[in-house]
C-alpha cells in the first residue's frame, strides 16, 4: 500500500482521505497498485470541505468509493463507512469472491476452502455465490428462491433449507463456520468475529 504522507487514516478496511486537494493523485496511485491482502484494494472515502460538483466528480473519478463534505454528522459518517464496507466486502480485483479462507471464482466455477478444492453442483455453486455476494446480509428463503431458482420455480421452498444443508456439509466442515441460520428470517454467510 502507498503511504499518502499523513493524509490517510485507516478505519478497519477503509482509507479515509482528509483533504481532496492533495489526495487525488495518491488515490489514483493506490488504485493502480497491485491488490493487497486477499487481493483487494481498500475502499477510499474522501472527507473534505470542498463541496463543488466538480470536486466530488474528481474525487470519485480518482477512485473514491464515497465522498463526504465537512461539516458532517458523525453517525452519518459511520453509516457511510459501513455501507462502503458492505458494498466492497469480499470483492477482489480479479473477480474472485473471498470470505475468510473461502474463495469462489465465478469464471472457472471453482471453490476452495482453506486452499482445498470443494466440489459443488451447479445449484450449490449458485447458492454459495449469492450468499458470498451478499456477505453479512440476511437472505430470506424467498430472496434465495428468486436469485438461485428464479421466478419459474414451482416447488416447495424447503428446497432452500436442503441446499443450505448440502453447502454446510461441504463448506463448513471445520471452524470457523460461515453459513448461519437466522431463525424465522433466512440465512447469512458471515465472516468470523
Amino acid at each position: 500500500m502507498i503511504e499518502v504522507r499523513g493524509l490517510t487514516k485507516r478505519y478497519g478496511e477503509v482509507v479515509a482521505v482528509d483533504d481532496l486537494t492533495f489526495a487525488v493523485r495518491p488515490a489514483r496511485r493506490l488504485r493502480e497498485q497491485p491488490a493487497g491482502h486477499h487481493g483487494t484494494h481498500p475502499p477510499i472515502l474522501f472527507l473534505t470541505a470542498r463541496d463543488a460538483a466538480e470536486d466530488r466528480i474528481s474525487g470519485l473519478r480518482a477512485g473514491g468509493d464515497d465522498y463526504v463534505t465537512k461539516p458532517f454528522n458523525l453517525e452519518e459518517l459511520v453509516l457511510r463507512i459501513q455501507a462502503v464496507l458492505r458494498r466492497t466486502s469480499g470483492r477482489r480485483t480479479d473477480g474472485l469472491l473471498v470470505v475468510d479462507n473461502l474463495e469462489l471464482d465465478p469464471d472457472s466455477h471453482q471453490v476452495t476452502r482453506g486452499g482445498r478444492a470443494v466440489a459443488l453442483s451447479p445449484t450449490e455453486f449458485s447458492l454459495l455465490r449469492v450468499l458470498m455476494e451478499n456477505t453479512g446480509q440476511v437472505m430470506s428463503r424467498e430472496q434465495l428462491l428468486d436469485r438461485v431458482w428464479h421466478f419459474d420455480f414451482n416447488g416447495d421452498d424447503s428446497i432452500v433449507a436442503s441446499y443450505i444443508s448440502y453447502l454446510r456439509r461441504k463448506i463448513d466442515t471445520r471452524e470457523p463456520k460461515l453459513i448461519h441460520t437466522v431463525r424465522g428470517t433466512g440465512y447469512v454467510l458471515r465472516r468470523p468475529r
Side-chain angles (χ1 to χ4, degrees):
M1 183 162 143
I2 300 171
E3 177 59 39
V4 189
R5 296 198 185 129
L7 295 177
T8 63
K9 295 180 183 175
R10 293 201 55 143
Y11 294 97
E13 296 294 319
V14 174
V15 175
V17 181
D18 194 25
D19 191 338
L20 182 66
T21 307
F22 303 107
V24 169
R25 225 177 251 138
R28 282 192 185 119
R29 285 199 321 260
L30 179 63
R31 288 292 188 229
E32 292 167 0
Q33 291 295 307
H37 185 61
H38 295 301
T40 59
H41 288 104
I44 298 173
L45 175 70
F46 284 105
L47 302 172
T48 178
R50 300 180 69 164
D51 62 354
E54 50 276 357
D55 292 325
R56 291 190 304 272
I57 291 167
S58 178
L60 295 170
R61 280 196 176 140
D65 294 286
D66 202 350
Y67 191 102
V68 179
T69 58
K70 297 176 184 175
F72 53 83
N73 177 286
L74 188 56
E75 184 178 5
E76 178 187 1
L77 177 64
V78 169
L79 291 172
R80 283 179 175 270
I81 290 172
Q82 290 170 346
V84 166
L85 289 172
R86 273 195 314 273
R87 285 194 310 266
T88 59
S89 67
R91 301 201 190 277
R92 292 174 47 133
T93 56
D94 57 5
L96 290 178
L97 297 172
V98 180
V99 177
D100 192 45
N101 63 354
L102 176 64
E103 294 186 3
L104 181 144
D105 185 338
D107 296 328
S108 68
H109 279 253
Q110 293 182 338
V111 175
T112 60
R113 174 92 196 254
R116 299 170 71 187
V118 178
L120 298 179
S121 72
T123 303
E124 292 166 342
F125 183 88
S126 295
L127 178 58
L128 181 60
R129 182 177 182 167
V130 168
L131 290 170
M132 290 183 76
E133 287 173 341
N134 295 280
T135 298
Q137 296 178 1
V138 177
M139 302 295 292
S140 70
R141 283 184 181 195
E142 294 77 22
Q143 288 173 309
L144 293 171
L145 279 170
D146 181 46
R147 294 194 186 171
V148 177
W149 286 270
H150 308 292
F151 290 110
D152 58 359
F153 180 76
N154 294 321
D156 185 0
D157 71 352
S158 66
I159 194 165
V160 176
S162 296
Y163 272 87
I164 290 287
S165 177
Y166 301 154
L167 273 182
R168 283 182 172 143
R169 282 187 237 148
K170 295 178 178 185
I171 301 296
D172 280 344
T173 56
R174 58 179 184 227
E175 296 295 328
K177 305 292 187 203
L178 299 176
I179 302 171
H180 304 275
T181 300
V182 179
R183 294 264 178 241
T185 306
Y187 302 94
V188 61
L189 192 135
R190 192 179 289 141
R191 283 185 164 72
R193 294 176 189 195

